[in-house]
Amino acid sequence: DAKTTQPNSMESNEEEPVHLPCNHSTISGTDYIHWYRQLPSQGPEYVIHGLTSNVNNRMASLAIAEDRKSSTLILHRATLRDAAVYYCILRDHLDGNKLVFGAGTILRVKS
Amino acid sequence: DTGVSQDPRHKITKRGQNVTFRCDPISEHNRLYWYRQTLGQGPEFLTYFQNEAQLEKSRLLSDRFSAERPKGSFSTLEIQRTEQGDSAMYLCASSLIGRGAQETQYFGPGTRLLVL
């Protein structure tokens, strides 16, 4: 599975946007980019995924670089409930079964 | 609440004992996954089922570990002769695989195991 690189931790102020980066320079043409997050004492939860185009949903936006070697998860207005570990994961489109998690980015939100 | 339930939520056992965990997936989800997570790390894949068939097992799944999914509904994960290194959070996830391979996995709250 292709590897992703994320910062260990980031900090944000409440009500401000947060941009969480992910590098995946070895991404293949068939890999989708997925983001999951894990709130304290809970299992991971799906956030968003995309292939080439930017994607938006009610939780977040995903901006994918033109060369697909990096992507950014955007939380438009961080709340205290967004404090979690955010995981960037690559999944092959032909056989995207298991999720391969890295260490993720710990997001701290200050009030 | 994702709809995936796990039981028990916590388990303390002594080294050498056997333990069994149960996962109830979202109804009609055909895939069921088991992951293990230790403190400060992301979850690691253990095994997964499609319906009742176990399709992949990680190298992490030693001979002491066995998972079943009879009738393609709930699943159990048994650890025999537990060791202190088995202490971790055991997570279950389910999904509905259709034509595309980018299905969303829904995770349960996990079972936290402590082996003394």
Side-chain angles (χ1 to χ4, degrees):
Chain A
D1 297 289
K3 185 179 173 60
T4 63
T5 304
Q6 299 178 252
N8 291 334
S9 64
M10 291 184 66
E11 203 167 76
S12 170
N13 293 317
E14 201 176 9
E15 304 291 318
E16 290 185 357
V18 182
H19 290 233
L20 296 163
C22 180
N23 287 322
H24 28 78
S25 58
T26 59
I27 190 170
S28 74
T30 55
D31 285 334
Y32 276 75
I33 302 157
H34 285 246
W35 284 82
Y36 279 72
R37 73 179 185 180
Q38 188 170 20
L39 279 63
S41 303
Q42 295 187 27
E45 67 172 340
Y46 168 81
V47 178
I48 200 166
H49 77 274
L51 182 63
T52 56
S53 305
N54 294 345
V55 184
N56 299 293
N57 66 21
R58 64 174 182 81
M59 288 181 71
S61 296
L62 177 59
I64 301 172
E66 197 169 333
D67 63 5
R68 301 207 329 121
K69 293 181 185 287
S70 66
S71 60
T72 302
L73 179 70
I74 302 166
L75 306 179
H76 295 286
R77 285 180 63 203
T79 70
L80 296 177
R81 288 174 294 179
D82 290 321
V85 181
Y86 287 78
Y87 299 100
C88 171
I89 299 166
L90 300 183
R91 297 183 80 192
D92 185 89
H93 93 285
L94 293 176
D95 190 23
N97 43 54
K98 64 181 180 287
L99 295 170
V100 180
F101 292 84
T105 296
I106 300 170
L107 176 65
R108 298 184 179 89
V109 180
K110 297 184 297 183
S111 59
Chain B
D1 184 359
T2 62
V4 178
S5 60
Q6 293 188 246
D7 183 68
R9 294 291 307 276
H10 300 90
K11 179 71 176 179
I12 300 174
T13 191
K14 293 181 179 179
R15 186 163 49 97
Q17 298 294 304
N18 299 343
V19 295
T20 300
F21 308 142
R22 176 180 170 123
C23 171
D24 286 274
I26 293 172
S27 178
E28 297 182 357
H29 273 193
N30 48 14
R31 281 200 175 171
L32 188 148
Y33 300 80
W34 286 99
Y35 294 83
R36 182 175 72 183
Q37 185 174 27
T38 52
L39 278 174
Q41 304 298 315
E44 297 172 292
F45 168 77
L46 291 178
T47 187
Y48 88 95
F49 295 83
Q50 183 153 322
N51 300 312
E52 64 274 6
Q54 189 172 17
L55 296 188
E56 186 176 351
K57 293 193 288 187
S58 162
R59 288 172 298 173
L60 293 175
L61 214 65
S62 75
D63 292 345
R64 297 184 297 105
F65 287 71
S66 63
E68 294 183 342
R69 193 184 182 199
K71 303 178 184 177
S73 56
F74 72 92
S75 175
T76 58
L77 178 67
E78 181 183 18
I79 309 174
Q80 296 182 326
R81 305 181 303 282
T82 52
E83 301 173 356
Q84 290 183 325
D86 297 331
S87 296
M89 174 76 86
Y90 290 84
L91 292 160
C92 172
S94 71
S95 68
L96 181 63
I97 189 73
R99 291 181 180 178
Q102 302 305 315
E103 92 283 13
T104 296
Q105 294 188 16
Y106 296 85
F107 284 80
T111 294
R112 185 169 294 283
L113 173 67
L114 177 61
V115 181
L116 301 176

